[in-house]
Amino acid sequence: MGEGMKDAINKRDSASATNTNREESSEAAGESVEYYTLEEIRVHNMSGDTWLVIHDKVYNITRFLEEHPGGEEVLLEQAGTDATESFEDVGHSTDAREMLQQYYIGELHMDDRKNMKPKEVFAANSGSSGGTWTTWLIPAIATAIIGILLRYYVFDHKSS
Ligand code: HEM
């Protein structure tokens, strides 16, 4: 019996090994990604069926509602919508961000993504915190003025 049995087992093992590999590679290639539009997501806005979007990823958080340290209420307020801003406003920990993975079901449809246009990026950079160029321009001018003053001071002292 020995050889036949071993062969059968080997065949089964290698078959299951190739299956697993195929699954992994198709996942890695992103073939099985689901895309949802905001319209599709909007209907999942109740306590028994709760989806939300964070950073263009769609999460089914129905079974997380009761576990959320920040309470069920805040999640239900965001249910069926893009909750990225509220999620970020709270300043969630790295642990919270890692937890998200468990509830991932797909991606927000490309048409519904709020891609930052170059104009918006510029506006975001030149807000009250000051633009990037002012951060080096002001110290540069200050250094130049100090340099000029020092020169005058040194010359004045040499000539007198
Ligand atoms: C599925 C997505 C979410 C996950 C996995 C999550 C997870 C967590 C975790 C683990 C905490 C404990 C503190 C921390 O580790 O940061 C927390 C706190 C909190 N979360 Fe969320 N959260 C999610 C979505 C949201 C959303 C959309 C809001 C919207 C307002 C929110 C509001 C809060 C608040 C108010 C707290 C309490 C903060 C505090 O007491 O300091 N969370 N969340």
Side-chain angles (χ1 to χ4, degrees), residues 52-54 59-61 64-65 67-71 73-79 81-103:
L52 49 75
V53 179
I54 296 172
Y59 300 96
N60 179 347
I61 53 155
F64 175 66
L65 289 180
E67 293 169 29
H68 183 222
E73 253 330 279
V74 285
L75 293 184
L76 285 173
E77 272 169 25
Q78 302 294 323
T81 70
D82 187 334
T84 308
E85 222 175 294
S86 347
F87 182 82
E88 290 302 342
D89 282 352
V90 173
H92 281 93
S93 64
T94 320
D95 276 357
R97 285 161 206 279
E98 277 167 11
M99 283 168 84
L100 280 175
Q101 292 168 20
Q102 303 168 44
Y103 309 103

Side-chain angles (χ1 to χ4, degrees), residues 134-152:
T134 49
T135 47
W136 61 263
L137 190 64
I138 291 168
I141 291 172
T143 314
I145 291 171
I146 292 169
I148 291 165
L149 288 176
L150 269 177
R151 249 167 203 245
Y152 276 117

Side-chain angles (χ1 to χ4, degrees), residues 15-158:
S16 72
T18 32
N19 270 347
T20 326
N21 285 343
R22 204 182 303 136
E23 270 162 29
E24 273 171 10
S25 59
S26 78
E27 231 167 66
E31 281 170 24
S32 54
V33 173
E34 282 282 343
Y35 284 90
Y36 300 100
T37 62
L38 274 178
E39 208 180 324
E40 286 172 296
I41 296 161
R42 203 170 296 139
V43 295
H44 303 274
N45 59 1
M46 55 205 86
S47 64
D49 177 18
T50 322
W51 291 13
L52 49 75
V53 179
I54 296 172
H55 291 300
D56 298 334
K57 297 194 185 305
V58 185
Y59 300 96
N60 179 347
I61 53 155
T62 314
R63 61 194 165 88
F64 175 66
L65 289 180
E66 285 177 17
E67 293 169 29
H68 183 222
E72 196 171 336
E73 253 330 279
V74 285
L75 293 184
L76 285 173
E77 272 169 25
Q78 302 294 323
T81 70
D82 187 334
T84 308
E85 222 175 294
S86 347
F87 182 82
E88 290 302 342
D89 282 352
V90 173
H92 281 93
S93 64
T94 320
D95 276 357
R97 285 161 206 279
E98 277 167 11
M99 283 168 84
L100 280 175
Q101 292 168 20
Q102 303 168 44
Y103 309 103
Y104 175 82
I105 54 167
E107 298 283 324
L108 181 62
H109 197 282
M110 294 298 170
D111 292 348
D112 284 333
R113 292 187 182 201
K114 291 185 221 152
N115 287 324
M116 257 205 176
K117 295 179 193 88
K119 230 164 119 191
E120 285 166 324
V121 173
F122 179 76
N125 282 341
S126 53
S128 56
S129 60
T132 42
W133 61 274
T134 49
T135 47
W136 61 263
L137 190 64
I138 291 168
I141 291 172
T143 314
I145 291 171
I146 292 169
I148 291 165
L149 288 176
L150 269 177
R151 249 167 203 245
Y152 276 117
Y153 183 77
V154 170
F155 275 126
D156 270 1
H157 275 258
K158 267 189 188 160

